[in-house]
């Protein structure tokens, strides 16, 4: 059936183009083919993938790295159900996504039509809005509202979902109802905080002896303002997975190697667009001792989760920090210089000692390369523009400390392993001039390994490095310690490089540490490329030692769980 220039699908495609969308991450299907073809007609690039989950993951990575809206197009029924993990990950990460899908024609719904499901009920709890658009005249206003919600206009940013029956996509939308106001891009709102709250925050921060700043999602794009605050206040600084690379590792406020002590000793903690979730011990006094909180965010959910702030500033992070500095003027902060210098000195000493150990750490008793030796070789080739994607459970624990780059992505607060390859593909297509490294465990790689086909077809210039220990290693370690046996957590030492070569990708297998440097250099010269590195099963990560795998009752890790129990008993 011929699609006209004013059919519903054409209106959707024109809307996307008008809003600056230059690519869709998608997997084809009959129910979405009208959108697919009109998007192609409008010159929107279609990154066609092998599984819908990967399409949504790619859209999320694109959004997080560029700051733009990410768009995924998935077909009805199993297409949407395949995408749900990706949507849930974006929901927890508060990433602005538009997910589009199709449905059977209106006359066939509820009669056993092909792939007939009530999609919106499936995704309502993990989206900012989920709607079926049946009336062609409402397509534009529904798209306009959905994108506003995705970008956090009036609430938390996050994924939105719209689907359309195929007869709606083919139906005419009267030109008179295609109002320019719905096509027109809307500027991001800058939210200014209350001046009263700003003054209260300045009084608290500038009187603090041991201030600590922790950044998250809401601090992206505010790097210069965050650095200005740190410089003026002389505060300690901790990043999180949501904001790695925001502040340079060599900035004097960075004390990542002293994370636990900084959290325990701080008297005022500033959260910048960051929830106090399991990664920050829910803000518990058992971990943060007697700290008072200043919460800053453009999203209410990041202002009052778990711990209320003495001051809570609802505002765009960059704007809020500028106002804080303006109100503070030349006021001298009360920061304890000896405290912060002590943290910095111990941070530098620990970091230097760790870096030196990475290059010299021996192989395991099984002959496998230590993960830190692998990460050290990668780190040596990460320059000023590189993007690093870390994926895995056990490997993520090593890489959080052993790998750093100007821009970084990881499985996020949802713990959604398997994102590495899709994230890396999207990153390398968004920034083809920048080196993109995906460092992933072999278990996590398996979730979306087939997307190496997507990387080859779309000439995505990334390097994938698989740390292959033939196991779900955190679970193996936990089973040995807790249960005395290993059951169902070992994998085979599969040759992932051979798989890559089968799809036309440069692939090498490395079994000797001395061969790492050459293999990485060859991979960079022959992108896309994959290196399969056999690593030891003897190495035990900090997460494995922390008790993360056995899921303690009160906190995410055993040390915090013990502290929580002691604090509750003493209260």
């Amino acid at each position: 059936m011929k699609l006209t220039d004013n059919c519903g699908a054409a209106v959707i495609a024109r809307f996307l183009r008008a809003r600056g969308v230059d690519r869709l991450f998608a997997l084809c299907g009959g129910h979405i083919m009208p959108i697919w073809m009109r998007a192609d007609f409008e010159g929107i690039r279609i990154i066609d993938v092998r599984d819908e989950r990967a399409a949504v993951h790619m859209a999320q990575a694109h959004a997080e790295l560029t700051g733009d809206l990410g768009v995924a197009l998935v077909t009805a029924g199993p297409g949407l159900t395949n995408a749900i993990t990706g949507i849930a990950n974006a929901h927890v990460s508060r990433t602005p996504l538009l997910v589009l899908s199709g449905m059977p024609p209106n006359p066939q719904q509820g009669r056993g039509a092909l792939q007939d499901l009530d999609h919106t009920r499936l995704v309502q709890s993990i989206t900012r809005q989920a709607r079926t658009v049946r009336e062609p005249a409402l397509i534009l206003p529904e798209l306009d509202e959905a994108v506003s919600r995705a970008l956090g206009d009036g609430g938390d940013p996050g994924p939105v979902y719209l689907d359309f029956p195929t007869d709606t996509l083919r139906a005419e939308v009267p030109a008179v109802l295609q109002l320019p106001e719905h096509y027109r891009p809307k500027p991001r709102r800058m939210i200014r905080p209350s001046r009263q709250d700003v003054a209260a925050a300045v009084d608290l921060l500038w009187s603090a002896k041991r201030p600590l700043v922790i950044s998250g999602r809401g601090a992206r794009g505010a790097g210069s303002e965050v650095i200005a605050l740190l410089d003026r206040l002389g505060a300690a600084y901790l990043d999180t997975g949501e904001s790695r690379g925001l502040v340079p590792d060599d900035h004097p406020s960075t004390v990542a190697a002293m994370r636990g002590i900084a959290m325990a000793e701080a008297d005022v903690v500033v959260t910048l667009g960051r929830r106090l979730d399991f990664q920050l011990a829910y803000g518990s006094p058992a971990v943060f001792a007697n700290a008072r909180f200043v919460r800053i965010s453009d999203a209410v959910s990041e202002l009052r989760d778990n711990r209320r702030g003495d001051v809570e500033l609802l505002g765009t992070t960059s704007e809020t920090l500028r106002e804080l500095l303006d109100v503070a003027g030349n006021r001298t902060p009360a920061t304890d210089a000896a405290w912060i210098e002590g943290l910095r000195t111990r941070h530098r000493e620990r970091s230097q000692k760790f870096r030196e150990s990475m290059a010299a750490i021996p192989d395991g008793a099984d002959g496998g390369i230590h993960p830190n030796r692998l990460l050290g070789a990668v780190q040596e080739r990460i320059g000023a523009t590189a993007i690093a994607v870390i994926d895995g459970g056990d490997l993520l624990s090593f890489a959080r400390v052993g790998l750093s780059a100007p821009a970084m992505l990881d499985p996020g607060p949802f713990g959604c392993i398997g994102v590495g390859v899709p994230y890396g593909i999207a990153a390398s297509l968004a920034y083809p001039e920048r080196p993109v490294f995906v460092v992933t465990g072999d278990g996590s790689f398996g979730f979306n390994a087939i997307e190496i086909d997507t990387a080859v077809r779309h000439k995505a210039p990334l390097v994938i490095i698989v740390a292959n220990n033939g196991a779900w290693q955190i679970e193996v370690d936990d089973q040995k310690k807790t249960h005395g046996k290993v059951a169902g957590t070992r994998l085979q030492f599969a040759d992932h490089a051979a798989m890559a070569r089968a799809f036309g990708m440069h692939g090498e297998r490395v079994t000797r540490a001395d061969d790492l440097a050459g293999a990485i250099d060859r991979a960079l010269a022959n992108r896309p490329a994959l290196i399969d590195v056999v690593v030891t099963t003897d190495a035990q990560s900090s997460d494995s030692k922390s008790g993360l795998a056995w899921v303690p009752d009160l906190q995410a890790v055993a040390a915090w769980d013990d502290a929580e129990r002691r604090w509750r008993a003493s209260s």
Side-chain angles (χ1 to χ4, degrees):
M1 185 179 297
K2 183 175 176 58
L3 300 172
T4 69
D5 288 343
N6 282 312
C7 70
V11 169
I12 294 169
R14 279 200 298 275
F15 173 87
L16 295 175
R17 172 55 74 185
R19 292 303 179 92
V21 175
D22 64 356
R23 67 198 63 196
L24 300 176
F25 301 94
L27 202 159
C28 61
H31 293 98
I32 57 172
M33 195 54 67
I35 303 175
W36 189 286
M37 298 311 298
R38 291 304 304 195
D40 177 73
F41 177 82
E42 291 290 336
I44 297 173
R45 184 178 182 183
I46 298 173
I47 311 299
D48 57 304
V49 302
R50 299 296 300 273
D51 186 277
E52 288 85 358
R53 171 172 54 181
V56 182
H57 287 331
M58 291 182 196
Q60 178 174 346
H62 180 83
E64 294 197 5
L65 289 169
T66 66
D68 297 331
L69 179 74
V71 183
L73 177 61
V74 302
T75 199
L80 183 275
T81 57
N82 286 346
I84 283 178
T85 294
I87 296 171
N89 190 45
H91 161 68
V92 175
S93 298
R94 306 177 298 290
T95 305
L97 296 189
L98 173 63
V99 181
L100 301 174
S101 189
M103 294 184 69
N106 284 292
Q108 295 187 45
Q109 289 181 26
R111 303 178 63 195
L114 175 66
Q115 298 179 340
D116 188 7
L117 275 178
D118 187 348
H119 300 144
T120 58
R121 292 184 65 188
L122 292 176
V123 299
Q124 278 175 344
S125 68
I126 52 173
T127 56
R128 303 300 175 264
Q129 175 176 279
R131 291 176 64 88
T132 295
V133 184
R134 302 183 186 279
E135 169 54 50
L138 295 179
I139 288 175
L140 266 180
E142 288 281 6
L143 284 166
D144 186 27
E145 176 65 15
V147 169
S148 293
R149 294 196 182 204
L151 294 172
D153 190 0
D156 282 16
V160 294
Y161 174 82
L162 292 178
D163 59 21
F164 310 84
T166 51
D167 55 334
T168 300
L169 295 173
R170 292 189 286 258
E172 289 291 297
V173 179
V176 70
L177 297 180
Q178 297 179 41
L179 300 179
E181 67 200 50
H182 292 139
Y183 280 114
R184 187 169 56 245
K186 310 301 189 295
R188 299 281 182 96
R189 296 185 196 273
M190 295 292 289
I191 305 172
R192 299 189 66 177
S194 155
R195 293 292 285 184
Q196 181 179 347
D197 290 340
V198 170
V202 168
D203 284 342
L204 182 55
L205 285 171
W206 263 254
S207 62
K209 299 291 187 182
R210 299 181 299 280
L212 171 65
V213 176
I214 304 176
S215 62
R217 174 213 61 87
R220 294 175 191 155
S224 60
E225 290 83 3
V226 174
I227 290 171
L229 174 69
L230 295 173
D231 290 344
R232 185 83 70 84
L233 195 57
Y237 172 73
L238 297 175
D239 63 15
T240 60
E242 296 181 356
S243 57
R244 288 290 299 274
L246 185 73
V247 174
D249 288 345
D250 59 0
H251 188 277
S253 287
T254 299
V255 293
M258 300 297 295
R259 180 175 297 266
I261 293 175
M263 290 165 63
E265 295 183 353
D267 61 353
V268 176
V269 176
V270 185
T271 61
L272 302 176
R274 185 61 166 87
R275 297 188 68 182
L276 289 169
D277 61 12
F278 74 97
Q279 297 173 89
L280 292 172
Y282 310 112
S284 172
V287 174
F288 283 92
N290 298 314
R292 302 166 72 184
F293 285 85
V294 175
R295 310 293 302 272
I296 298 173
S297 181
D298 58 358
V300 173
S301 68
E302 295 166 346
L303 283 183
R304 54 182 184 235
D305 65 301
N306 291 310
R307 291 293 302 275
R308 299 301 298 257
D310 279 47
V311 186
E312 298 168 347
L313 296 100
L314 179 62
T316 304
T317 301
S318 57
E319 180 69 18
T320 301
L321 296 184
R322 283 194 292 268
E323 294 208 17
L324 283 174
L325 294 171
D326 180 62
V327 170
N330 294 322
R331 182 171 174 175
T332 301
T335 303
D336 183 342
W339 176 74
I340 187 65
E341 185 55 38
L343 286 179
R344 291 169 179 165
T345 299
R346 285 176 287 171
H347 162 75
R348 288 192 293 265
E349 291 172 349
R350 285 187 178 183
S351 298
Q352 180 62 29
K353 183 177 180 180
F354 178 75
R355 293 293 178 201
E356 291 172 355
S357 72
M358 290 177 73
I361 195 163
D363 294 344
D366 55 5
I369 300 167
H370 196 286
N372 281 341
R373 185 75 181 272
L374 165 60
L375 294 169
V378 176
Q379 186 67 55
E380 288 178 359
R381 280 148 186 83
I382 286 181
T385 63
I387 299 171
V389 180
I390 307 167
D391 190 15
D394 202 50
L395 184 70
L396 177 62
S397 180
F398 287 107
R400 274 199 305 265
V401 179
L403 198 63
S404 182
M408 300 187 72
L409 296 174
D410 65 26
F414 195 44
C416 190
I417 61 174
V419 298
V421 174
Y423 277 12
I425 291 171
S428 63
L429 292 175
Y431 298 103
E433 74 285 359
R434 298 172 65 175
V436 175
F437 293 90
V438 175
V439 184
T440 177
D442 55 332
S444 296
F445 173 70
F447 282 104
N448 286 294
I450 193 62
E451 299 303 332
I452 62 175
D453 171 65
T454 304
V456 171
R457 288 185 293 106
H458 288 278
K459 298 180 173 57
L462 78 163
V463 173
I464 302 167
I465 301 172
V466 181
N468 186 352
N469 58 12
W472 301 100
Q473 194 60 44
I474 284 184
E475 283 72 23
V476 168
D477 290 341
D478 176 60
Q479 287 179 340
K480 287 179 177 178
K481 288 185 295 186
T482 307
H483 306 284
K485 63 176 295 188
V486 176
T489 52
R490 293 201 186 277
L491 305 171
Q492 57 177 312
F493 283 89
D495 189 343
H496 302 107
M499 177 185 178
R501 291 193 297 271
F503 283 96
M505 180 180 282
H506 174 85
E508 293 188 37
R509 189 170 228 209
V510 175
T511 58
R512 298 176 61 251
D514 291 343
D515 296 335
L516 284 168
I520 295 171
D521 289 341
R522 288 187 293 275
L524 286 167
N526 294 280
R527 292 172 285 174
L530 184 148
I531 307 171
D532 185 46
V533 182
V534 179
V535 297
T536 181
T537 60
D538 295 340
Q540 198 169 13
S541 69
S542 60
D543 281 353
S544 177
K545 296 174 183 176
S546 74
L548 186 70
W550 58 266
V551 192
D553 291 342
L554 303 178
Q555 290 281 354
V557 298
W560 289 351
D561 190 74
D562 291 342
E564 184 79 19
R565 292 177 188 280
R566 289 193 299 270
W567 173 72
R568 293 188 182 193
S570 65
S571 298

